[in-house]
Amino acid sequence: MAQGARFFTIVSVIIIGLVLQIFLGFADSRDTPSRAVVGFAKAYYNLDRSMADYLCKDFAAEEDVDVVGNYINRVADEARIVGFDLKYMRSFLYSVETEIISKSETEAEVRITATRKRNINPIYTIIGKLFFIGETYNVDETLKVIKEDGKWKVCGKAFSLTV
């Protein structure tokens, strides 16, 4: 009899855990201004073209302008000038924190602070972080986000994307 009660307890805990995991998964997938800023910042510093998914339509006012492509080409040129490949210019963000400065239904200002380290390859970043090798750089920026087509998008001055 005690064995049956123990089995029931274990199965109940597993079922409650699964339901809780599903609930938290749905809660975590909500679109927020902070999530948009963090996603954009990670893609921006990793020189990932997916940063375009986080940008509002104002960045592509003219259909022929590829803001993200131009930015990546500019960084690649800077890397070539100093004798490196584009991969050398990538960075990984960690210790990311966001603070919503102001928020309305359609606009928000989000301050992002983080630390970044070179991300030539993932192992380099992990080893550098573990053994305090390599320089770290602080990120402290305030970005404007707007709600466009039901999703939060980065708009306005976004780091040095359009310089």
Side-chain angles (χ1 to χ4, degrees):
M1 191 68 144
Q3 188 176 8
R6 196 175 317 162
F7 176 75
F8 178 73
T9 303
I10 291 172
V11 170
S12 298
V13 168
I14 290 173
I15 290 173
I16 290 171
L18 287 173
V19 169
L20 185 63
Q21 188 67 29
I22 290 169
F23 174 75
L24 292 175
F26 281 118
D28 190 42
S29 65
R30 270 189 25 226
D31 187 36
T32 63
S34 296
R35 184 179 297 271
V37 167
V38 170
F40 172 74
K42 286 183 176 183
Y44 175 85
Y45 283 111
N46 200 33
L47 300 175
D48 188 356
R49 287 192 172 274
S50 69
M51 75 176 98
D53 299 339
Y54 296 98
L55 294 175
C56 68
K57 293 177 184 172
D58 288 351
F59 275 103
E62 300 175 27
E63 293 181 16
D64 298 338
V65 177
D66 179 16
V67 175
V68 172
N70 290 345
Y71 169 70
I72 292 174
N73 289 336
R74 189 172 69 239
V75 172
D77 291 342
E78 291 173 15
R80 257 189 305 275
I81 288 171
V82 293
F84 292 108
D85 188 21
L86 179 63
K87 289 180 183 178
Y88 179 76
M89 303 301 273
R90 297 184 326 183
S91 295
F92 177 78
L93 290 183
Y94 60 95
S95 301
V96 180
E97 294 181 17
T98 59
E99 173 188 355
I100 296 179
I101 295 173
S102 65
K103 182 180 178 188
S104 69
E105 289 286 324
T106 58
E107 290 186 9
E109 279 191 25
V110 180
R111 179 177 179 223
I112 182 169
T113 56
T115 306
R116 67 182 178 96
K117 189 177 274 292
R118 292 271 183 225
N119 188 24
I120 299 169
N121 66 44
I123 294 172
Y124 176 86
T125 306
I126 292 168
I127 298 292
K129 187 176 177 188
L130 287 175
F131 295 107
F132 305 104
I133 300 171
E135 274 191 69
T136 58
Y137 305 93
N138 292 324
V139 175
D140 187 355
E141 196 74 35
T142 301
L143 299 175
K144 178 183 174 188
V145 289
I146 62 169
K147 199 162 203 174
E148 188 175 88
D149 300 329
K151 290 196 171 270
W152 289 100
K153 305 278 185 165
V154 175
C155 214
K157 179 185 166 277
F159 301 115
S160 63
L161 187 63
T162 57
V163 173

